[in-house]
Amino acid sequence: MMPGQIAKFGNSAAQLLLGGLAVLRSFGNGEKDRPAVGDDSRQDILDLRDAVKQWREVFEHNPVMYFMVDRAGTVLNVNTFGAAQLGYTAAELIGQSVLDVFFEEDHDFVRRLVALSLETLHQSHTWEIRKFRKDGSVLWVRENAKAMLRGDGTPIVLVACENITQRKEAEDALRQSEAYLAQAQELSRTGSFGLNIATGAIVWSRETFRIFQCDLSVKPTLNFVVQRIHPEDRDAVSKTLDRAARRAADFDHEYRLLMPDGSVKYLHSVARAVRHGSGLIEFVGAVTDVTVAKEAEQRLRRSEAYLAEAQRLSHTSSWAWDVRRQEFAYRSAELYRLFGFDPGKIEVPARAFQQRILPEDFQRIVEVERQAVRRKEPFEVDFRIARPDGSIRRVHTEGHPIVSSDGEVTEIIGTHVDVTEQIAAKEALQRAFDELKTSEQRFRDYAETASDWFWETGPDHRITQISEHADTARAAPAGLVGLSRWDIPPDAELEPGKWEQHRAALDAHLPFRDLVYRGRDRNGSPIYVRTSGKPLHDADGHFLGYRGVSSDVTAAIRAEQAEEALRKAQAELAHVTRVTTLGELAASIAHEISQPLAAVISNADACISWLGRYPANLDAARRSVEWIVEDANRASEVIRRIRALVKKTEIEMVPLDINQVVREVIALVRRELATHAVSVRMELSSGLPKICGDRIQLQQVLINLVVNGIEAMQANVDHPRELAIRSSQAGEGGDRHLLLTVRDRGVGLGGDVTDRIFTPFFTTKSGGLGMGLSICRSIIEAHAGRLSALPNEGSGATFQIALPFPHKDTS
Ligand code: ADP
């Protein structure tokens, strides 16, 4: 009981003793105060005196301290034991203030108690308080006080004190050890518990409450504990407890709590099974919150796993080398893999590792290590490992010497990086680079020896760069840099349309191909340049200009021009020969015209005479006029065809019905055929697709072939002069083509003549020019066809024209 706490004191020995004190007080303390009395009374007095003496003995030596104090707190009396307990004699205390034996800070309390006792006469009050002895040591007492009135009516307070110092000290020690324990539990995050499985009773220390986040006022239950345990661990925990309860065995387990805020706590619990006399089993144990350690462990494990993974991925292993022992102090799992060992076999000695290093490299490493230890400086060294599977790994090492407090290098820590692939990749890259360089040089050589030159223009289309090589110097005009393309050629004014179009393409930043323009080379000679370019943009899409290539195409253009000239000359020649042929046919043609004209005249005469009759025979006159119209048309048609053949027109490729072309030709040469007694047999296939060609040219070819046929049959005496003209189609699918044959029964093509007849100026005729067939062949070839000649089985020759049908979309 602490000072300030007062309790009613019940009937006790101390109260009896206090009563004894009251007797003492009534009877005085010495014989000098004895009154004169009779014998009986005398005997009574003697008895009483004996009693008092006995009680005094009890009072003085009772192991209870008795004090009698007045209202002011002055000690009126104290028993010997009481005084001795405080290290005084009674005489030393009597007359002194009782406060002298109390601590200064308790004086008020003592005064209040004395006052309270005096206010409540005959009532007992109890409290516990400290006193200090004469030697300064502390004495804890439990005091019982009661105020009473003396005979003279003055109040006194009687106090009985019991020494409770030992109990107090024990209590303090207990309290302190409990506090220490609580603190230790808090610091170690370890709570204690008691668990009676049979009754389900649970006792927790303050720290256990804290761990389980349970209010101290709440009585923990098994159900509450189960609810707190992480659902995944509940089964395991209950199994552990069941087993422990069944076997009455200690247990040690780990489980998790799922806290109301969703966080997880890791607990480690150890318990001892205590069997009570009653046979009941109780578990007493400790539960430690190992969350921090667990998380740290997990973090460590994770970071170790990351490190191992990083080492595996980067082919980097780490190690620590104990210089004195010449043995590894540490080596990562990756080091084992690098050297071809199983990482699980930790007992592999350093020597085994060393033996896998190529001997010539190992000597070097030993020397590098020696130097590093001597100089205490970091080092780098490369070496090779021969693995048992025969593969060679190339390793780059970095090492850092660790200097101990005695100034010596005791350890080297370092890394090995497997650079095999890196080196292989570097070598491959170097090879590729070398190849690229060679190929670049090759193309540079090609480019420099080509007649092309390369150029670049800026955003304003002005030339910024032009490649310089020998041929460029010859072909490309000098001083082009700074000029735009349209500043260069002299044909800009001649062909403004072309240049406007080109500039529009450049302004739209479009690529362009094969722009041909006229320019001048360095010597001022005219050249043709063909140029192509593509626009350049930077990473942000900004237009930077053009880059392209130009070439001198003068030769090609000249060739084209020559070809064109040749074509023209051929056409001219064709025309001439045509006119010549027509000249040869003049008589026949004249007849062709004069015949209808003569008919016209005679019909006109007839008409006049029919009209001159009386009455005029109008029907007959009309018939005559109709014949006149017919004949005039026939004549004018012949004239139209002759005109067309004679006229010098541009070639006009149009869809043509080849049978129609054949008929027109026959109409022209009919007289010639008749004159030479040649009959014509026409086998013209109907329904032929149209071919694409120039009517006049194809007619010219046919006239030539027919006239040649007539001439070849001139000498025919025995067999008939017959010309067969046949049209048909041959070939399949996309190869379908028209076949037109002109077959005669003339002299034929003997010996090597077949090969030579198409050669210009080859003729067997005295007045022949020898150009006809050569022109015919070039005309047919210009129509993408073929003209060939074959000797007939019997007599004569066959000339065959093969012409392609145009594709459907162009027909
Ligand atoms: P030309 O008729 O002026 O001789 P061509 O080029 O038309 O020129 O003919 C060349 C030569 O081919 C003829 O001189 C003749 O020898 C031969 N030739 C042409 N057509 C026939 C034919 N149908 N039969 C036999 N030989 C022919």
Side-chain angles (χ1 to χ4, degrees), residues 584 704-713 723 742-750 753 756-776 789 796-799:
E584 283 168 10
N704 249 306
L705 297 182
V706 170
V707 170
N708 277 350
I710 293 169
E711 286 175 351
M713 293 189 287
L723 204 61
V742 179
R743 189 169 193 273
D744 64 60
R745 304 187 67 182
V747 289
L749 303 166
V753 173
R756 300 168 61 200
I757 51 172
F758 293 103
T759 319
F761 305 112
F762 172 80
T763 182
T764 52
K765 298 169 194 166
S766 54
L769 190 60
M771 283 303 292
L773 287 179
S774 132
I775 288 170
C776 287
T798 298
F799 286 80

